[in-house]
Amino acid sequence: MKATWNNQVIAESNDTVVVENNHYFPIESVKAEYLKPSPTHTTCPWKGLASYYSLDVDGMHNPDAAWYYPEPKPAAANITGHVAFWKGVKVTE
């Protein structure tokens, strides 16, 4: 799977985890230079507290376009160390 935004590959992996129709990429498959920590947090009843990254790619900013669960609840343990995308990030095979 490949995640792209602003004509750049943000992440690429053959080992994503699909949860609720979202592909979660292993963090090591994500290009860290595009990720900027965000102060945003949300809570999922069964996955736990989500943290966010904004994307900065070639001078363009996409706030809170990636999320992850630093310490997911046991039901979502399989997404530990993984990042998912939205807000215009295209995920394709």
Side-chain angles (χ1 to χ4, degrees):
M1 297 303 295
K2 188 184 294 187
T4 57
W5 183 72
N6 197 30
N7 298 314
Q8 293 293 331
V9 175
I10 308 300
E12 194 166 8
S13 176
N14 292 324
D15 192 27
T16 62
V17 177
V18 179
V19 177
E20 295 179 331
N21 296 316
N22 293 301
H23 283 269
Y24 284 77
F25 288 77
I27 189 64
E28 57 274 2
S29 72
V30 181
K31 294 185 179 176
E33 64 267 25
Y34 296 139
L35 300 180
K36 304 298 177 215
S38 167
T40 302
H41 296 282
T42 58
T43 301
C44 171
W46 71 274
K47 291 189 293 279
L49 182 68
S51 294
Y52 288 78
Y53 291 113
S54 294
L55 297 177
D56 279 335
V57 179
D58 296 336
M60 299 291 290
H61 185 71
N62 191 346
D64 299 336
W67 76 93
Y68 65 101
Y69 291 86
E71 296 178 16
K73 291 183 177 183
N78 60 331
I79 58 171
T80 301
H82 288 67
V83 178
F85 301 95
W86 65 330
K87 292 194 172 183
V89 177
K90 290 188 169 109
V91 176
T92 57
E93 283 192 52

